Amino acid sequence: MNFLENPTIEKQLYPFTLTRSVADIRIGILTIREKWLLAAGSGSDIAVPSNLLPSQKIIASLKMGNDIIEGVDSLLIKHPWHIFEYNDWALRQDFEMLTATRVSQNISSTNKVISPENVFLEEGAKVEHAILNASTGPIYIGKNAEIMEGGLIRGPFAICEGGLVKMGAKIYGATTIGPYCIAGGEIKNSVLFGYSNKAHEGYLGDSVLGEWCNIGAGTSNSNVKNNASPVKIWDQYTGRETMVGLKCGLLMGDYSRSAINTSFNTGTVTGICCNIFGEGLKGPVIPSFSWCGPETTRYKFDNAVRDIDNWKKLKKQSIQEEEIKKLRLIFDTY
C-alpha cells in the first residue's frame, strides 16, 4: 500500500496528527491504514489518499481491478470533528468487512440482546448480564474485550482488542472504544483511539480522545451550547475559529489527562501531554504541554516524560526512546 500524504490535511487534523500519520487515525473499528491493508492486502501497490475511508463498494471495485475514484462511495476526513461525525458510517463499513463469511463466538444467554444477528464476538470476548441493542447498528466485541455486568450498549458500537466496559456503563452509538481502553459512565458518539481511560461516571459526547489519555472521575464535557447556536472550535491550521455544527465536545490529543470533576467547554481542543485540573470550565483551547490548573503554565518536559511512563506502566508498557524524541520535537516546536 502507498498512502499519499497531504501536509495541509495533516495540519488540519491537529491535534491527532502531532503524534501519528493521518493513515493511523482510528475511526470505526480499524485505523485507516488497517482498513486498506485488510481490503487490498499488504502486497498491493495501489496509492490512496491517507485520509480516504474505503467503503464496501470501493473494496469490491478494487478487487475487480478498477481504479479508485476519490470521494465516490467513500469519505474523506479533513477535520478532527469528522472522526466522530463519520464514525457511524465507518463502524458499519468495518463491521461488514471484518465479519463477512465469519461466525461469531456464542453470546451468553445471561445477556439481553436485540437483533443478535448484528452482534459479533471475537475469540476471548466476555459479555455477561449486559443489554446489547443492535437494532440501531452493529455491535462488535473484539478479541479478549469485556463488557461487565449491567453494561448498556446501543449500536453502532465497537470495543477493540483488550478493551473493557465497566459495570453499569451507558454507551450510545456511534462509539468506538479502542484497544485496551477502559470505558465507564455515559458515552455517546465518541472515539477513543487506544490505551485511554474514561473509566468513571461523567459524560463524554461527540468527542475524540487520542492514545494514553485519562479522564478523571466525574469529568464531563459540553457538546451543545446553551443557546443551541452552532459550535465554533479553534483551528490550529488557519489560526482562527471554525464553524463545526450544532454539536462538538472534546478533542483531546495523546497523553493528556484531566483530574476528577473537570468540566470541558463546548468544542474544546486539547493538545498533547496536558495535565488539566481545577475549578471552572476548561477550554476552548489548551495548548500542548500545558499544566492547566487555576493558572496555566508549561509542563516541564522531563516531568511529562516521567508521568507518561508512569501511566504506561499501569498497562504493563513503558515509554520508548522513539516516542521521547518525537515528543521533544513537538515540545520545542509548539
Side-chain angles (χ1 to χ4, degrees):
M1 290 295 301
N2 181 19
F3 292 96
L4 306 175
E5 300 291 344
N6 182 325
T8 298
I9 294 297
E10 195 170 295
K11 292 175 183 177
Q12 288 175 344
L13 286 166
Y14 173 94
F16 304 110
T17 45
L18 283 176
T19 47
R20 64 178 52 78
S21 68
V22 174
D24 292 317
I25 286 174
R26 185 174 303 278
I27 177 171
I29 302 172
L30 306 168
T31 66
I32 298 172
R33 185 184 307 277
E34 290 169 341
K35 298 175 199 295
W36 283 107
L37 290 176
L38 184 60
S42 58
S44 172
D45 60 355
I46 67 169
V48 296
S50 60
N51 63 327
L52 182 69
L53 306 183
S55 68
Q56 292 302 307
K57 287 184 178 180
I58 277 188
I59 292 165
S61 180
L62 182 65
K63 290 179 177 178
M64 293 173 62
N66 298 326
D67 293 333
I68 296 171
I69 303 174
E70 183 178 317
V72 177
D73 295 321
S74 63
L75 289 174
L76 286 161
I77 297 179
K78 296 182 179 179
H79 302 284
W81 57 87
H82 285 168
I83 298 170
F84 69 79
E85 283 188 354
Y86 298 165
N87 201 45
D88 186 303
W89 184 89
L91 276 166
R92 296 172 193 271
Q93 300 297 325
D94 286 356
F95 183 87
E96 186 176 343
M97 180 163 54
L98 282 168
T99 64
T101 72
R102 299 176 63 217
V103 178
S104 170
Q105 299 295 305
N106 290 331
I107 304 172
S108 170
S109 61
T110 67
N111 299 292
K112 174 65 176 178
V113 184
I114 304 171
S115 300
E117 68 277 7
N118 293 330
V119 178
F120 193 95
L121 276 66
E122 295 283 7
E123 182 181 356
K126 299 177 183 177
V127 188
E128 299 287 351
H129 296 283
I131 296 178
L132 308 177
N133 182 0
S135 67
T136 52
I139 293 176
Y140 175 86
I141 315 296
K143 181 180 179 181
N144 297 328
E146 181 177 4
I147 298 178
M148 289 182 169
E149 51 272 27
L152 307 175
I153 309 295
R154 187 177 179 88
F157 168 84
I159 181 169
C160 301
E161 181 174 352
L164 174 67
V165 171
K166 296 182 74 176
M167 292 190 298
K170 302 176 288 293
I171 304 182
Y172 302 82
T175 290
T176 298
I177 307 301
Y180 303 97
C181 289
I182 301 175
E186 184 177 3
I187 303 174
K188 172 251 181 185
N189 193 32
S190 296
V191 177
L192 282 64
F193 279 8
Y195 298 94
S196 290
N197 304 323
K198 192 278 177 195
H200 305 289
E201 293 301 323
Y203 177 71
L204 184 73
D206 300 289
S207 297
V208 182
L209 304 184
E211 292 188 346
W212 297 105
C213 297
N214 190 74
I215 301 296
T219 293
S220 291
N221 74 268
S222 167
N223 63 335
V224 179
K225 296 180 70 172
N226 278 359
N227 59 7
S229 62
V231 178
K232 297 178 182 178
I233 73 165
W234 178 256
D235 187 328
Q236 183 75 16
Y237 175 63
T238 62
R240 61 176 183 268
E241 289 185 323
T242 299
M243 198 75 72
V244 175
L246 291 178
K247 292 186 178 183
C248 185
L250 172 64
L251 304 174
M252 177 178 276
D254 292 0
Y255 310 111
S256 288
R257 302 175 296 277
S258 70
I260 61 170
N261 296 324
T262 303
S263 298
F264 286 103
N265 214 335
T266 319
T268 291
V269 180
T270 296
I272 67 166
C273 300
C274 297
N275 189 24
I276 305 160
F277 58 95
E279 298 179 352
L281 280 172
K282 302 300 180 182
V285 183
I286 301 175
S288 294
F289 291 96
S290 288
W291 186 271
C292 185
E295 296 180 359
T296 299
T297 58
R298 185 81 156 153
Y299 210 150
K300 294 180 180 179
F301 183 78
D302 289 343
N303 290 353
V305 170
R306 177 202 63 199
D307 295 345
I308 291 169
D309 193 50
N310 287 340
W311 278 100
K312 285 201 163 198
K313 286 176 181 175
L314 295 177
K315 299 196 179 189
K316 297 180 173 57
Q317 293 198 34
S318 60
I319 193 167
Q320 302 299 302
E321 191 61 36
E322 195 60 37
E323 286 179 276
I324 296 173
K325 290 179 181 178
K326 185 183 291 184
L327 291 174
R328 179 84 243 186
L329 178 61
I330 299 168
F331 183 85
D332 291 339
T333 303
Y334 287 87

